[in-house]
Amino acid sequence: PAPPPGPPPVPNRVSLLGAHTVGRTGGVAVGLSLGFPTLSARAAVGVLPQVDVLVGLDSLYGMMNEARLGWRWRVLDGGARWSLGLVMEGSHAFFLRSASLEDRGARYLTGRRNWNVMPGIVGSFQRQGVRASRLFIDVRYLVALDTEPIQRTPLGGLPPDLVASSAWPVRVGAEVPLSEKTSYSVSLGGDFRTRAEDAAFMPVVSIGIVTGL
């Protein structure tokens, strides 16, 4: 006789890169990703069913290390299929080399400066199926605050103490479930920048893993 069927697979609801929050107080989702230009470590801690605290670390392979802190709020909830939220992160970046010694180094590649503020909108959509892929989009407005600007114009005088610049980081991708709590992630996108010293567009790609604790 055929063996009795086992229990049905449990849907994967652990999301770190989209708008779907952890969903419970004290719940934790963590993730690691490797890519260009940075590698990243992320964690989301549930404080309310629709609100997470976000912490993270980005690194340009040691040339720039950026500590991040923020929150994610799931504003619209379409159940298991879709969600839309707001996100805010602030960060402080530590650079291996001073700005005066860089030409096209860590600041040019990442678009980050000493202090950074990143509000944005995130969305998630999961196709039908217990282990269907969860697609996400993340659109931010980056305000980078440079506390060590360089005067690159001869006879231009002393630079100001603080220079602000802006950019639009855009990411799209998917979290593909491997089990009840673990997925691998793929992310593509780019940064559209306004600062003359930075590239007008910098492509971004990463692959990683997301899991719940």
Side-chain angles (χ1 to χ4, degrees):
V10 179
N12 182 300
R13 305 295 185 214
V14 179
S15 178
L16 184 62
L17 303 177
H20 195 76
T21 56
V22 175
R24 60 187 177 87
T25 302
V28 179
V30 297
L32 296 172
S33 64
L34 178 69
F36 173 85
T38 62
L39 56 87
S40 301
R42 292 279 190 276
V45 181
V47 294
L48 293 172
Q50 293 184 313
V51 179
D52 292 342
V53 170
L54 305 174
V55 294
L57 176 67
D58 282 4
S59 178
L60 182 62
Y61 301 91
M63 291 186 290
M64 185 279 301
N65 297 300
E66 180 188 33
R68 303 165 68 124
L69 179 65
W71 50 262
R72 174 174 57 175
W73 174 27
R74 186 176 58 193
V75 179
L76 299 177
D77 185 2
R81 296 297 305 279
W82 65 271
S83 54
L84 186 69
L86 300 176
V87 65
M88 168 71 81
E89 286 186 281
S91 71
H92 182 47
F94 303 89
F95 295 91
L96 185 64
R97 304 182 69 185
S98 66
S100 61
L101 299 177
E102 275 194 4
D103 182 16
R104 294 195 173 185
R107 292 167 178 82
Y108 176 85
L109 291 173
T110 65
R112 304 293 195 270
R113 294 302 187 268
N114 308 85
W115 296 94
N116 307 277
V117 180
M118 292 161 281
I121 299 174
V122 290
S124 296
F125 176 78
Q126 189 164 16
R127 298 180 299 168
Q128 289 184 340
V130 176
R131 297 286 166 82
S133 300
R134 186 168 38 251
L135 309 178
F136 68 85
I137 182 170
D138 186 324
V139 179
R140 306 283 183 100
Y141 178 67
L142 166 64
V143 179
L145 304 174
D146 189 353
T147 60
E148 47 179 328
I150 301 299
Q151 178 59 263
R152 300 185 184 277
T153 304
L155 304 179
L158 291 175
D161 294 332
L162 179 68
V163 172
S165 59
S166 60
W168 292 92
V170 178
R171 308 285 187 269
V172 294
E175 295 169 322
V176 182
L178 299 173
S179 66
E180 176 186 348
K181 292 186 176 182
T182 302
S183 306
Y184 74 83
S185 64
V186 178
S187 179
L188 300 170
D191 296 349
F192 299 86
R193 301 175 183 168
T194 62
R195 187 165 179 149
E197 298 152 17
D198 291 347
F201 175 77
M202 181 62 66
V204 174
V205 59
S206 66
I207 185 168
I209 191 165
V210 173
T211 190
L213 302 179

